[in-house]
């Protein structure tokens, strides 16, 4: 068994090395790089949102290039059909039967690029598959591979030609990460990198990268699940989620600003992501700060502001911050 060979420290070193390699390619976006690894370790789908040209696609491609798993990219467009994603049954006259032709969703790593540029039907097909880990076509159900990770990108909703994702289905994303603009230093380094890449392309010298075997990923996931979460930390985590459903115990004005709070899927995600963060930091226990570190990315898309609060400029992000400010630390 391959996973028994690797010592815990070595396994963790692999992921730290992966993070460093990705940080060299995706400059000045440490949070994005970190979240890619957290999603991988916590076995969850990632939604990355940001303005055009902020390396969302590049970051996911860079990760895929370093994993020993098949990768597919699907560009979401207004004319995309659910079958373009899932696949279709094709009639084989010579055999007198239908044959299933699997679509791109049957890849272990799927980059769903610009997910909010496809109509609701396609989004639903994707999000259903993400939740159930299976696809039904023509009355037959096909299991999706393991690992199965969807890394989706989207531009901010305000952009033209976008279809907002169905709110209830956003819950299926483990994290919703927002990417901002890099600082001046990082911008200069991006220019340098772009020049180096353009030159390498002219010389036709593609960089050879080491791919992480899936056995290492599964062993790391096992280690993450084995970390210790002390009861007070678990209570804190649960309290954060419960407070999103009933904030009146802390602040009645805040409660009125929340239309709905996070589901149990949110608590599970919060726990798994906090574990992954602790493991990546080389610890064998989870702290309240690990929970706080991932709470915005885990909860922002699961907490919906009320109609009035939205009009006053509140969004999931601000609501999570307000909850973090109010729920007392253990
Ligand atoms: N932080 C960064 N580090 C390295 N390269 C970057 C960074 N930000 C942008 N780039 C470069 O900018 C270009 C655009 O990146 P990319 O296509 O990944 O953007 P995107 O966020 O997916 O944009 P869109 O929303 O338009 O699809 C790429 O060549 C990428 O390498
Ligand atoms: Mg892109």
């Amino acid at each position: 068994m391959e996973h028994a060979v690797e010592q815990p420290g070595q396994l963790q070193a692999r992921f730290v090395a992966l993070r460093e390699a990705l940080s060299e390619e995706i400059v000045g976006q440490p949070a994005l790089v970190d979240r890619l690894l957290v999603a991988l370790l916590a076995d969850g789908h990632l939604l990355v949102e940001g303005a055009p040209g902020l390396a969302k696609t590049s970051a996911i491609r860079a990760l895929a290039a370093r994993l020993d798993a098949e990768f597919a990219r699907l560009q979401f467009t207004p004319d995309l059909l659910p079958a373009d994603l899932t696949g279709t049954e094709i009639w084989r006259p010579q055999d007198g039967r239908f044959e299933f032709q699997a679509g791109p969703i049957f890849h272990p790593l799927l980059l769903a690029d610009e997910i909010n540029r496809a109509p609701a039907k396609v989004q639903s097909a994707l999000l259903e598959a993400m939740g159930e880990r299976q696809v039904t076509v023509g009355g037959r159900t096909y299991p999706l591979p393991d690992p199965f990770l969807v890394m989706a990108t989207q531009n901010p909703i305000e952009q033209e030609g976008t279809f907002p994702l169905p709110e209830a289905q956003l819950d299926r994303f483990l994290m919703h990460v927002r990417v901002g603009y890099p600082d001046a230093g990082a911008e200069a380094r991006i220019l340098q990198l772009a020049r180096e890449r353009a030159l390498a392309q002219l010389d036709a010298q593609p960089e050879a990268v080491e791919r992480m075997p899936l056995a290492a990923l599964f062993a790391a996931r096992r280690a993450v699940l084995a970390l210790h979460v002390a009861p007070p930390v678990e209570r804190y985590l649960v309290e954060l989620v419960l407070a999103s459903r009933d904030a009146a115990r802390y602040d009645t004005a805040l409660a009125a600003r929340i239309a709905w709070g996070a589901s149990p899927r949110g608590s599970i995600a919060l726990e798994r992501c906090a574990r992954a963060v602790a493991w990546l930091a080389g610890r064998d226990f989870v702290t309240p700060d690990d929970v706080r570190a991932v709470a915005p990315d885990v909860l922002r898309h699961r907490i919906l502001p009320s109609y009035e609060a939205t009009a006053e400029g509140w969004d999931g992000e601000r609501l999570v911050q307000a909850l973090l400010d109010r729920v007392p630390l253990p």
Side-chain angles (χ1 to χ4, degrees):
M1 299 250 311
E2 210 176 323
H3 66 259
V5 177
E6 213 141 355
Q7 297 300 312
Q10 280 175 304
L11 197 55
Q12 203 237 346
R14 255 186 198 277
F15 277 82
V16 171
L18 176 60
R19 174 158 61 190
E20 270 162 25
L22 291 176
S23 309
E24 273 169 32
E25 260 183 74
I26 308 301
V27 197
Q29 300 285 9
L32 173 60
V33 169
D34 190 70
R35 294 313 185 241
L36 286 177
L37 297 192
V38 169
L40 203 57
L41 288 167
D43 190 11
H45 312 292
L46 193 64
L47 175 61
V48 182
E49 181 179 307
L54 287 176
K56 299 182 296 297
T57 305
S58 312
I60 293 164
R61 274 182 177 281
L63 175 71
R66 286 183 161 74
L67 268 189
D68 192 15
E70 273 186 68
F71 167 73
R73 169 177 178 273
L74 186 61
Q75 176 72 45
F76 280 54
T77 52
D79 59 355
L80 199 72
L81 299 171
D84 297 330
L85 179 72
T86 57
T88 36
E89 304 243 82
I90 291 173
W91 177 247
R92 297 266 177 230
Q94 62 274 39
D95 306 331
R97 61 182 180 86
F98 283 99
E99 192 185 282
F100 180 58
Q101 275 220 319
I105 200 161
F106 288 91
H107 284 79
L109 260 178
L110 177 70
L111 167 53
D113 223 357
E114 312 201 22
I115 188 175
N116 58 347
R117 296 201 181 271
K121 246 190 181 157
V122 183
Q123 293 177 356
S124 296
L126 174 69
L127 291 157
E128 265 171 47
M130 284 164 49
E132 332 239 306
R133 297 201 167 223
Q134 61 182 34
V135 169
T136 305
V137 176
R140 264 220 207 134
T141 300
Y142 303 90
L144 290 169
D146 186 26
F148 172 61
L149 280 184
V150 174
M151 306 258 172
T153 75
Q154 70 171 5
N155 291 134
I157 309 292
E158 302 82 50
Q159 291 232 338
E160 225 173 296
T162 58
F163 303 83
L165 289 168
E167 267 137 11
Q169 296 193 343
L170 276 178
D171 203 26
R172 283 160 174 78
F173 282 103
L174 179 77
M175 284 182 286
H176 175 187
V177 180
R178 284 200 172 138
V179 193
Y181 290 98
D183 63 19
E187 196 89 30
R189 174 85 187 111
I190 291 170
L191 288 181
Q192 190 190 342
L193 260 178
R195 276 196 307 275
E196 287 169 10
R197 271 189 207 134
L199 279 175
Q201 208 161 29
L202 284 176
D203 297 342
Q205 281 180 337
E207 207 190 333
V209 295
E210 200 193 332
R211 285 172 178 263
M212 183 179 301
L214 290 183
L217 171 62
F218 293 139
R221 282 183 180 173
R222 230 170 270 130
V224 166
L225 286 170
L227 287 197
H228 181 62
V229 184
V233 179
E234 189 177 284
R235 276 198 295 275
Y236 174 62
L237 183 159
V238 168
E239 187 51 31
L240 264 179
V241 172
L242 289 187
S244 77
R245 295 176 208 158
D246 175 20
R249 280 171 296 145
Y250 298 99
D251 181 338
T252 45
L254 180 61
R257 293 191 172 111
I258 302 179
W260 83 63
S263 69
R265 209 189 257 136
S267 332
I268 297 167
L270 195 53
E271 200 231 23
R272 290 202 78 173
C273 291
R275 282 173 176 278
V277 165
W279 188 80
L280 279 170
R283 276 182 277 107
D284 58 3
F285 57 93
V286 176
T287 66
D289 276 340
D290 295 328
V291 176
R292 293 174 69 84
V294 290
D297 287 345
V298 171
L299 297 177
R300 72 160 55 91
H301 56 301
R302 305 178 201 263
I303 302 179
L304 205 77
S306 64
Y307 184 75
E308 298 78 18
T310 307
E312 290 166 16
W314 285 79
D315 59 4
E317 171 99 40
R318 231 176 123 190
L319 291 171
V320 177
Q321 274 312 325
L323 291 168
L324 285 170
D325 290 342
R326 284 167 184 76
V327 175
L329 279 164

